[in-house]
Amino acid sequence: MKLSKKLSAIAIACAMGVIPFVTNADTNINTNTNTNTNTNTKDQPWANTELSAAERTQLVLKQMTLDEKLLLVVGYFGTDAPWKNFARPVESRPQSAGFVYGIPRLGIPHIWQADAGLGVASQGGPNVRERTALPSGLNTAATWDPQVGFEGGAMIGSEARTSGFNVLLAGSVNLVREPRNGRNFEYAGEDPLLSGVIVGEQIKGVQSNNIVSTLKHFAYNDQETGRGELNVSIDEAAGRMSDLLALQFAFEIGNPGSVMCSYNRVYGVYACESEYLLNEILKKDWGFKGWVMSDWGATHSTIPAANNGLDQQSGLPFDHAAYFKEPLKEAVTNGWVTQARLDDMAGRVLYSLFHYGVMDNPVPQPSNNIDFKKHGLISQKDAEEGMVLLRNEKVNGTALLPLAKELKKIAIIGSHANVGVLSGGGSSQVYPIGGMAVKGLGPQAFPGPMVYYPSSPMNAIAARYPNALVSFDEGTNPQSAAKLAAESDLVIVFANQWTAESVDVPNLSLPDNQDALIASVAKANPKTVVVLQTGGAVLMPWLNDVGAVVEAWYPGTNGGEAIARVLSGEVNPSGHLPITFPAAENQLPRAIVDGSLKKPDGRFEVNYFEGAAVGYKWFELKNHQPLFPFGFGLSYTDFAYSDLKTNVKNGQLSVSFSVKNTGAVAGKDVAQVYIAPKNAKWEAPKRLGAFQKVDLKPGESTSVTVNVDPRLLAMYQSKNKTWKIAKGEYEVILAKSTAEPQTSVKVKLPTRTLDVNGK
Ligand code: BGC
């Protein structure tokens, strides 16, 4: 009783600003000396690289005082927050997300944290850090190419390192369960396998730079509306087969050094103090050895958070109190949090610093010594591989795309396509080299501004059609746009939907009257191509009136060039949808986003009654016809499948087949293997079991063999934490999308029980 009174007094004092969120300039610990790793293994035996990360951790922990251990479990915002009366630690990197004090006397470096998964982000303000931006996470998922995920991760990780960051807050793998979620652009789609593989590879790429990546947001932070107030409930097994499975795949592939717990509550408990999520699933079931950091403002207590698995409170001053400073010290002193647990908390941070090479390869002083041209091309490749050709009709006998060489008058309309391409807003915002293409758009404060990268689709198109007159109309007036359209051989309308962290979109319609714009342009000229730059799925009431549609997501640093190369046919589009595009919002599990009618200061419930039937699984279960199905994507060539066979060895299912390019141009196909049980009951009629992207010249064929992870054939059993494959017949379907099966075979599987990790 006495203790809790004392603790709450401290918490209240912090919240009231009586005990300020002090940085360690005013503690008695010297944090100002050289942070380079000491290689003197006699005085500092943990510097011995021959020892394991775990051994090195134990050696250094023994030397640490209580105050030093406590230093490692508290992070600060790396940006001034005047409204909180907070000045960033002087040692932090300007306009960064986070900073944790190291312990120079022991050779433990400071931890410098930057957002996020699309590049080295910067908090808004006058002196932003300008870096290379990848396309949106959905674009990278739409490549269906794990190698593209890895290369993008490796590139942004190297920029993080050169910028002086040893932790990149990347690895975002919340499932697209709610298509109106404002943050879907940061994530990797609705399917656990595709999301997990792409983000896992990205994490691996980031960490190939001897820095740590996170995996986030753990777990069920699937909407922004009321993200700090809502409580998610879901059937436990369904969660293991959906959101948690995506995280589990990414975790296994990427092996992240840190995991960020999320804002929301799950089963009534905040994610950052959830014994179930942190201790049970992450640390016990999955065997995570690194540290759990809270999202910025997601820590709500001292003793429950520490004892239930949170290792580091992030981003002071965003929480109500500095729970892991004095209150944690007091709790350890009084035994409410054991000394062993504090050692475990600090030890987990140290373990990752050793294991991922942060300790032995200190990050350099920040510089701009980056090959931006080369990195721009890595981003561009990602954009080109992820753009999805959704429609390509013949008008007067020829398909609109690729654009005909003999075009004389091309109209470009809308979305500032004369100067740039759009990006998504919030903490993941990467600022472009050379400044924003358009200034003053979007909210002045977070999650704004609305940033256009200076890569002009119009210039890139004009460069490829030197004999054509290329004209631009801003698209703000449908009549004037229609007039230009009527005078042109072909029209390219750029439509956009800006989405951002902290706000969900009100609905799936294009904002700002753009549907009317497209309709009036298409009426004036049937040779209309629509290029979408959206944060996710949108409705297309004009679809049947336009000739072609390309989903370009947010295409990143070189987006204009990438769009022009796809439209001109220099690049054959090969992106496939990582999400379902609904035909109407009433097809979704929820008519509106939960909590959107309530003020987000009130707590509310979000019941995932759809369970594991997320995205296409829901659509198939309910027999809804989407506008475009998951996995869909056209090409300028055609592919044919043959020789589909299955093999079951020791219970493991593998699938082999041949893919042939039957068209006239080279192209890449995404072969998708879906599994449908004949007798077993799953959450939905079928699941994606495996996929493979192949690159083929005209007439060329290749044979492919893929393995199906046994968890994708099983139902999770909560009571004994196992995955159970039911004996019986399964259909193995080779398809171009969930709605386009090409060929299928049946296979009999024996009953099989696997542990929580599918082993
Ligand atoms: C976001 C995190 C981000 C953190 C630090 C939070 O608002 O949810 O994804 O890493 O801020 O900027």
Side-chain angles (χ1 to χ4, degrees):
M1 188 62 193
K2 196 171 155 216
L3 174 80
S4 67
K5 254 196 194 147
K6 246 193 194 168
L7 279 173
S8 56
I10 290 173
I12 291 163
C14 284
M16 290 170 64
V18 180
I19 300 176
F21 290 99
V22 286
T23 56
N24 284 287
D26 39 13
T27 67
N28 55 3
I29 292 166
N30 174 10
T31 56
N32 286 329
T33 53
N34 175 15
T35 57
N36 278 2
T37 305
N38 189 332
T39 50
N40 180 349
T41 57
K42 191 157 156 279
D43 293 347
Q44 299 197 338
W46 54 89
N48 182 355
T49 51
E50 306 277 288
L51 300 175
S52 70
E55 288 166 329
R56 298 171 75 183
T57 298
Q58 289 312 314
L59 286 170
V60 72
L61 262 180
K62 279 196 198 117
Q63 301 301 318
M64 288 169 66
T65 64
L66 175 64
D67 284 335
E68 285 172 336
K69 289 172 191 168
L70 286 163
L71 267 193
L72 290 185
V73 301
V74 177
Y76 300 87
F77 195 31
T79 302
D80 292 344
W83 68 96
K84 293 252 181 193
N85 200 15
F86 172 83
R88 72 176 175 92
V90 287
E91 300 88 342
S92 66
R93 310 290 188 218
Q95 282 170 279
S96 68
F99 176 78
V100 179
Y101 285 99
I103 302 151
R105 80 167 183 99
L106 301 174
I108 300 166
H110 296 320
I111 297 176
W112 290 281
Q113 301 164 327
D115 280 306
L118 310 177
V120 181
S122 206
Q123 294 290 321
N127 298 308
V128 291
R129 190 176 286 101
E130 299 180 347
R131 290 292 178 262
T132 309
L134 288 171
S136 65
L138 280 179
N139 181 100
T140 304
T143 70
W144 293 63
D145 188 342
Q147 187 61 24
V148 171
F150 178 87
E151 282 164 17
M155 182 273 281
I156 62 174
S158 86
E159 291 200 3
R161 185 174 181 79
T162 308
S163 311
F165 294 104
N166 45 23
V167 172
L168 191 63
L169 307 171
S172 300
V173 69
N174 293 84
L175 222 52
V176 175
R177 199 178 255 283
E178 170 48 72
R180 292 155 295 203
N181 178 1
R183 269 187 116 169
N184 284 340
F185 75 92
E186 292 186 57
Y187 305 146
E190 67 191 27
D191 182 75
L193 177 68
L194 179 63
S195 309
V197 168
I198 296 292
V199 177
E201 289 292 335
Q202 190 201 33
I203 292 170
K204 219 198 268 177
V206 170
Q207 295 192 150
S208 68
N209 294 284
N210 289 313
I211 64 169
V212 162
S213 172
T214 49
L215 169 71
K216 69 187 189 183
H217 307 84
F218 200 82
Y220 298 115
N221 183 178
D222 301 329
Q223 67 174 58
E224 292 297 282
T225 305
R227 65 181 178 178
E229 292 80 29
L230 64 83
N231 175 41
V232 168
S233 34
I234 182 171
D235 171 75
E236 207 274 330
R240 298 267 191 169
M241 297 189 292
S242 56
D243 292 54
L244 296 176
L245 186 56
L247 287 156
Q248 192 176 16
F249 282 136
F251 171 79
E252 289 167 1
I253 295 167
N255 195 13
S258 184
V259 170
M260 187 190 291
C261 50
S262 54
Y263 287 117
N264 52 290
R265 289 172 297 140
V266 179
Y267 306 130
V269 180
Y270 281 113
C272 289
E273 56 188 59
S274 164
E275 158 81 15
Y276 164 72
L277 286 178
L278 307 182
N279 279 345
E280 188 181 331
I281 296 186
L282 185 61
K283 294 182 177 175
K284 192 159 144 267
D285 294 348
W286 299 359
F288 176 55
K289 294 203 181 92
W291 86 93
V292 177
M293 66 168 79
S294 61
D295 201 341
W296 276 227
T299 306
H300 295 274
S301 68
T302 301
I303 298 169
N307 286 342
N308 293 336
L310 179 65
D311 300 307
Q312 188 179 66
Q313 177 184 13
S314 302
L316 296 187
F318 284 107
D319 291 314
H320 287 302
Y323 298 109
F324 279 16
K325 292 190 77 174
E326 286 81 4
L328 182 59
K329 186 172 182 177
E330 182 187 310
V332 172
T333 310
N334 291 341
W336 290 93
V337 172
T338 63
Q339 183 66 54
R341 172 63 187 131
L342 179 63
D343 286 357
D344 179 48
M345 293 162 75
R348 284 171 170 276
V349 178
L350 293 166
Y351 172 85
S352 285
L353 298 184
F354 281 120
H355 186 74
Y356 297 95
V358 173
M359 209 75 105
D360 301 328
N361 305 275
V363 289
Q365 280 304 312
S367 81
N368 291 332
N369 192 7
I370 291 170
D371 188 342
F372 287 117
K373 189 150 185 256
K374 185 170 148 210
H375 288 186
L377 291 173
I378 293 171
S379 169
Q380 185 178 323
K381 178 170 183 249
D382 187 338
E384 289 169 358
E385 299 255 336
M387 254 170 235
V388 185
L389 180 61
L390 291 174
R391 179 176 169 89
N392 193 14
E393 293 299 293
K394 289 188 175 147
V395 179
N396 304 333
T398 25
L400 280 200
L401 296 176
L403 299 174
K405 289 280 163 268
E406 54 278 6
L407 290 170
K408 289 277 172 289
K409 280 182 170 179
I410 303 176
I412 310 270
I413 295 171
S415 295
H416 306 285
N418 55 334
V419 288
V421 288
L422 186 59
S423 58
S427 62
S428 69
Q429 181 73 62
V430 179
Y431 285 84
I433 298 109
M436 297 185 251
V438 195
K439 294 207 171 66
L441 297 178
Q444 304 251 302
F446 186 90
M450 183 189 286
V451 178
Y452 275 85
Y453 296 146
S455 173
S456 156
M458 180 168 97
N459 292 351
I461 291 164
R464 286 167 175 81
Y465 295 85
N467 301 324
L469 174 69
V470 180
S471 317
F472 181 70
D473 180 285
E474 290 195 344
T476 41
N477 177 335
Q479 283 75 36
S480 94
K483 186 165 175 287
L484 176 64
E487 293 161 0
S488 306
D489 297 341
L490 178 130
V491 194
I492 309 171
V493 189
F494 286 78
N496 70 77
Q497 176 210 41
W498 183 68
T499 63
E501 180 180 343
S502 79
V503 272
D504 296 323
V505 291
N507 53 56
L508 294 180
S509 296
L510 286 170
D512 306 327
N513 214 22
Q514 292 177 95
D515 284 334
L517 170 72
I518 298 170
S520 95
V521 167
K523 200 164 172 217
N525 191 336
K527 288 194 173 181
T528 292
V529 178
V530 177
V531 176
L532 295 166
Q533 294 175 82
T534 63
V538 287
L539 304 176
M540 305 180 202
W542 34 260
L543 184 64
N544 292 331
D545 303 324
V546 303
V549 181
V550 174
E551 174 55 84
W553 313 107
Y554 300 142
T557 287
N558 283 12
E561 203 67 19
I563 290 170
R565 274 164 56 83
V566 166
L567 297 181
S568 69
E570 267 165 67
V571 168
N572 189 348
S574 63
H576 285 250
L577 294 179
I579 49 175
T580 304
F581 275 49
E585 275 172 81
N586 63 14
Q587 295 177 323
L588 300 174
R590 285 161 199 81
I592 54 165
V593 176
D594 274 334
S596 45
L597 294 181
K598 299 192 190 96
K599 289 207 183 97
D601 58 349
R603 296 180 167 205
F604 62 95
E605 300 297 313
V606 180
N607 176 7
Y608 287 174
F609 57 85
E610 72 277 27
V614 177
Y616 65 89
K617 294 171 183 163
W618 171 262
F619 274 69
E620 297 198 340
L621 185 67
K622 296 287 165 189
N623 222 348
H624 291 319
Q625 300 308 310
L627 187 63
F628 293 106
F630 174 86
F632 182 79
L634 301 171
S635 163
Y636 299 147
T637 188
D638 284 316
F639 301 95
Y641 300 124
S642 59
D643 304 327
L644 177 62
K645 290 192 191 72
T646 58
N647 184 23
V648 183
K649 206 169 155 194
N650 302 327
Q652 168 63 51
L653 172 65
S654 62
V655 181
S656 58
F657 52 88
S658 294
V659 191
K660 182 171 185 187
N661 181 345
T662 56
V665 291
K668 294 184 180 179
D669 180 46
V670 174
Q672 302 159 41
V673 174
Y674 293 91
I675 316 285
K678 289 281 142 201
N679 1 79
K681 196 167 160 21
W682 288 358
E683 71 279 6
K686 63 180 189 278
R687 298 174 181 161
L688 180 70
F691 59 89
Q692 178 76 48
K693 193 164 195 177
V694 294
D695 187 3
L696 295 169
K697 298 195 188 73
E700 193 186 357
S701 47
T702 187
S703 29
V704 172
T705 301
V706 288
N707 288 318
V708 180
D709 188 286
R711 284 166 287 191
L712 297 169
L713 301 166
M715 290 294 282
Y716 185 77
Q717 317 287 311
S718 294
K719 63 174 184 314
N720 49 12
K721 293 198 176 186
T722 54
W723 294 88
K724 191 152 188 213
I725 302 179
K727 180 179 166 185
E729 201 171 58
Y730 293 78
E731 192 177 4
V732 175
I733 306 157
L734 189 54
K736 288 178 183 287
S737 74
T738 50
E740 298 164 285
Q742 302 297 298
T743 165
S744 74
V745 289
K746 297 211 171 65
V747 62
K748 285 210 168 78
L749 296 177
T751 193
R752 222 177 144 203
T753 304
L754 301 122
D755 73 10
V756 71
N757 295 310
K759 298 278 175 337

